[in-house]
Amino acid sequence: MDKNNYCVIMAGGVGSRFWPLSKNNKPKQFLDILGTGKTLIQLTYERFASICPTENFFVVTNANYKSLVLQQLPNINENQVLLEPIRRNTAPCIAYANYKIQKRNPNASIIVTPADHLILNETKFLGVLSEGIQFVQDGKKLLTLGITPSRPETGYGYIQVSNKAVENYSDVYPVKTFTEKPHLELAKVFQESGEFFWNSGIFVWKLSTIQDAFDKFLPDIKYLFETILDKLDTREEQNFIDQIYPKCENISIDYGILEKSESVFVYCSEFGWSDLGTWGSLYEHTAKDNNLNAIQGENVMLYESKNCLVNVPNNKLVVVQGLKDYIVVETDNSLLICRRRDEQEIRKIVNDVKITKGKKFV
């Protein structure tokens, strides 16, 4: 195992599209969404543990989730949990981790990953990462993993690649364009063209390369963190992070750096990836009965129902009759019954619940 390999796990989101299972006090990355006996963040940590030493992990999360991280990842220590006082998207999150790593190893190679993605073919995925780490050692290269689209998905960002692969790397291509979530007709064009890949949000780069990119494209964010370099790894660190974070621009690493840099490449592959962003994406990757119902719950009885996702507590008897293409999710104090095709409305529903019924339900 290479001591220069570091892994940054981004775990600060609230997962509102997985409401009511995912709530502010325990969002989806800390839940056993897949019914495997392990939470998504635990699966993420284990996925990278074979290529990154335990002490080389950093988890960036909201300050409210510190205890959850330490409870679910007992192998890491408090100093490896970086606490954001407020959410500022992925660029400040990555900048914070960069400086923590810089104090330990200026020669680091870094993998950045969300905490809540699904990887079905982990052997192939680790092979892609190993080759990706090798690729970024040579020159100033920023690498993102692109997924061959299996359908015209409107919920993902897309990356268009050049028509010629990089020499000696048959699956790595220079980036031509980034496109945020397209409408359906455009998504169909993207899939049919063969030039567009889903943006997985998993990145690989050298520390020196990403630091240079911050210096060029997001100098204000870099400057803020440089002002507290002598405070990192001291008792004063959190206090100063709390002071500078609200001053950071709320911007993603994609928009802030990757879409502007001419040194971005995509490793194009397919390893059973899903961002598990919605109930629909979970439905796709869950075992189904003869009527294509995906069921989580030990006491669920379905009659004349097809293509439904049902997720309920094991101790609750739930009887569903006559539903087709529905999502049914129950927790301790909430019940959601929603048409699958309308799942993008869940974020709006959560906001309405917060306004009209109070924060206790979200």
Side-chain angles (χ1 to χ4, degrees):
M1 189 181 299
D2 192 332
K3 62 180 176 55
N4 290 328
N5 290 347
Y6 284 74
C7 181
V8 176
I9 300 176
M10 301 181 291
V14 296
S16 60
R17 287 180 294 176
F18 263 99
W19 184 86
L21 200 60
S22 177
K23 295 184 178 179
N24 283 326
N25 64 342
K26 199 172 186 179
K28 68 170 180 171
Q29 59 267 33
F30 302 109
L31 301 174
D32 179 14
I33 290 281
L34 297 168
T36 63
K38 295 179 180 179
T39 66
L40 293 179
I41 195 172
Q42 289 173 327
L43 293 172
T44 300
Y45 170 79
E46 291 178 2
R47 186 175 300 139
F48 296 95
S50 64
I51 55 176
C52 297
T54 299
E55 63 272 18
N56 289 5
F57 278 82
F58 285 93
V59 179
V60 189
T61 190
N62 187 272
N64 295 327
Y65 307 143
K66 177 182 178 181
S67 60
L68 280 171
V69 172
L70 292 172
Q71 174 189 346
Q72 295 194 7
L73 302 179
N75 290 337
I76 70 173
N77 62 48
E78 281 191 73
N79 199 41
Q80 293 171 264
V81 184
L82 312 187
L83 304 178
E84 300 177 294
I86 58 175
R87 295 180 178 88
R88 275 294 184 263
N89 217 312
T90 54
C93 153
I94 290 170
Y96 185 9
N98 286 346
Y99 282 102
K100 292 285 283 191
I101 294 170
Q102 183 173 299
K103 293 201 73 171
R104 289 155 177 77
N105 188 346
N107 297 314
S109 300
I110 305 174
I111 301 164
V112 179
T113 179
D116 51 7
H117 286 189
L118 172 69
I119 306 291
L120 292 177
N121 190 339
E122 296 203 355
T123 300
K124 186 173 182 179
F125 175 69
L126 292 175
V128 168
L129 279 180
S130 296
E131 192 170 355
I133 291 170
Q134 178 184 344
F135 172 74
V136 300
Q137 304 303 311
D138 179 20
K140 302 291 186 179
K141 299 170 181 174
L142 302 170
L143 182 68
T144 181
L145 303 191
I147 311 300
T148 304
S150 59
R151 61 186 183 278
E153 174 62 54
T154 60
Y156 295 158
Y158 286 74
I159 306 171
Q160 184 183 19
V161 301
S162 299
N163 56 14
K164 185 177 180 180
V166 175
E167 186 177 1
N168 298 323
Y169 291 91
S170 59
D171 294 312
V172 178
Y173 294 81
V175 170
K176 287 179 70 174
T177 61
F178 286 84
T179 303
E180 278 305 304
K181 302 170 183 177
H183 57 75
L184 181 58
E185 291 306 312
L186 188 56
K188 289 178 180 178
V189 173
F190 285 175
Q191 183 187 11
E192 293 168 0
S193 74
E195 295 182 0
F196 288 82
F197 294 79
W198 290 336
N199 186 355
S200 71
I202 301 172
F203 312 112
V204 184
W205 42 54
K206 292 282 290 182
L207 171 64
S208 56
T209 306
I210 191 63
Q211 289 291 62
D212 288 346
F214 269 96
D215 189 48
K216 183 175 182 179
F217 300 110
L218 293 174
D220 291 346
I221 290 179
K222 186 175 183 182
Y223 169 76
L224 285 169
F225 283 96
E226 285 183 339
T227 63
I228 65 162
L229 272 176
D230 60 332
K231 310 300 181 186
L232 295 178
D233 297 326
T234 73
R235 293 181 178 179
E236 299 176 274
E237 175 179 330
Q238 192 61 52
N239 181 51
F240 280 87
I241 288 294
D242 292 347
Q243 291 180 34
I244 70 168
Y245 234 79
K247 301 175 184 177
C248 287
E249 184 178 1
N250 187 351
I251 190 170
S252 71
I253 197 74
D254 303 70
Y255 185 74
I257 290 179
L258 299 184
E259 293 186 21
K260 299 172 182 175
S261 172
E262 297 180 352
S263 303
V264 183
F265 298 82
V266 182
Y267 194 122
C268 302
S269 186
E270 173 50 50
F271 35 75
W273 171 89
S274 171
D275 74 344
L276 288 182
T278 64
W279 286 113
S281 60
L282 179 63
Y283 173 84
E284 288 183 18
H285 296 285
T286 303
K288 301 172 184 65
D289 66 13
N290 292 336
N291 291 310
L292 299 180
N293 297 304
I295 302 168
Q296 289 192 16
E298 295 180 356
N299 294 291
V300 177
M301 302 175 67
L302 298 183
Y303 298 88
E304 300 170 6
S305 297
K306 295 182 179 180
N307 306 317
C308 292
L309 182 145
V310 181
N311 188 302
V312 296
N314 287 332
N315 63 352
K316 180 70 63 87
L317 172 63
V318 174
V319 180
V320 176
Q321 192 273 336
L323 288 187
K324 183 179 179 181
D325 297 309
Y326 266 77
I327 299 166
V328 179
V329 183
E330 183 173 15
T331 60
D332 54 344
N333 67 355
S334 305
L335 170 65
L336 170 71
I337 303 173
C338 172
R339 287 177 300 216
R340 282 178 50 206
R341 69 172 183 265
D342 295 331
E343 66 172 358
Q344 297 296 336
E345 297 296 313
I346 292 178
R347 273 185 171 171
K348 179 181 181 299
I349 290 170
V350 171
N351 189 57
D352 291 344
V353 169
K354 186 187 302 184
I355 292 171
T356 61
K357 301 298 181 182
K359 292 182 179 181
K360 68 177 181 178
F361 293 106
V362 298

